[in-house]
Amino acid sequence: MKLIINYFENEISFEENIINVIEVENQKYFYRIVNDLNECSNGIVNDNINFFDADFNNIDLSGKIKMVIDYFNIELNDKKTVNEIEKFILKNIDDKAKKEIINLYLKILKNYNSVANKLEIPLIYNDEIQYDKLIKIIGYSVDKKQDLLDNLLLLIDIERIFKLNRLIVFVNLKQYLSFDEIIELYKYSIYNDVKILLIDSTKYDKKCDYEKKLIIDSELDEFAL
């Protein structure tokens, strides 16, 4: 997969075992690329951002990009993720478990009815079990961790399992993780075949073997490393 940004001279090629990093020292350019990708993540078609496959066929990634910007409020339980968790459970529950749920549900109904019957008015109720509503009452969610790296690895796991997005974009991530933690994240995303892109507003001299860098300095000169 390739990413072509209309106002960049260089294309971004997502290769095996390589992590793309864009370091943009020009503040307006930094805001522009993050904003354009953010629009794509929200399902808005942006003519400045284009993705292509190996045969140079256009790939529509609108709504298929995960932007991670606020590292103090990482969203692990957005609506799409919770829906996928519930769908997985409902799809994989076996007949034996369904029978046990029905028996338990009937016991719950019996307890409620013993109270409801005390009212001196006729009542009707729905005794048909609705698994989808029951599972929403249970309220499954991903257990968020205290450590930032742990949460980022969880995010990779979510994408690996449910394939909700084609790309995760981390903005200014290096401000929050050590060099060793960054490498651990790189290895985990590569191992799980989850494509990530780092965009930073600072140029970092230190570079690891996994990184393919595109540096845009304050004068908008581009350097591919």
Side-chain angles (χ1 to χ4, degrees), residues 110-119:
K110 184 178 179 181
N111 287 325
Y112 278 127
N113 286 335
S114 66
V115 177
N117 290 334
K118 294 177 182 179
L119 286 170

Side-chain angles (χ1 to χ4, degrees), residues 177-211:
L177 295 182
S178 68
F179 185 75
D180 289 339
E181 288 174 325
I182 287 289
I183 292 177
E184 186 175 347
L185 179 68
Y186 288 172
K187 289 180 177 179
Y188 201 71
S189 64
I190 290 171
Y191 177 78
N192 288 288
D193 194 26
V194 174
K195 289 182 174 60
I196 68 173
L197 170 67
L198 271 68
I199 303 176
D200 291 284
S201 58
T202 302
K203 178 180 174 293
Y204 292 90
D205 294 328
K206 202 169 185 180
K207 178 179 178 293
C208 75
D209 293 336
Y210 296 103
E211 289 181 335

Side-chain angles (χ1 to χ4, degrees), residues 63-66 80 159 162-168:
K64 289 291 183 179
I65 300 173
K66 176 78 172 181
K80 288 195 296 184
E159 295 300 335
F162 298 123
K163 295 178 172 47
L164 299 172
N165 300 286
R166 297 285 299 276
L167 176 67
I168 304 178

Side-chain angles (χ1 to χ4, degrees), residues 66 68 74-78 81 85 141-165 168 170 177 181 184-186 188-189 192 194 196:
K66 176 78 172 181
V68 185
I74 293 179
E75 184 55 81
L76 297 175
N77 291 295
D78 57 25
T81 302
I85 293 170
S141 62
V142 179
D143 184 15
K144 191 174 181 180
K145 307 299 181 183
Q146 293 296 317
D147 183 75
L148 173 58
L149 179 59
D150 288 339
N151 284 322
L152 297 178
L153 298 182
L154 267 176
L155 189 62
I156 298 292
D157 285 333
I158 291 169
E159 295 300 335
R160 171 183 58 84
I161 294 168
F162 298 123
K163 295 178 172 47
L164 299 172
N165 300 286
I168 304 178
F170 295 107
L177 295 182
E181 288 174 325
E184 186 175 347
L185 179 68
Y186 288 172
Y188 201 71
S189 64
N192 288 288
V194 174
I196 68 173

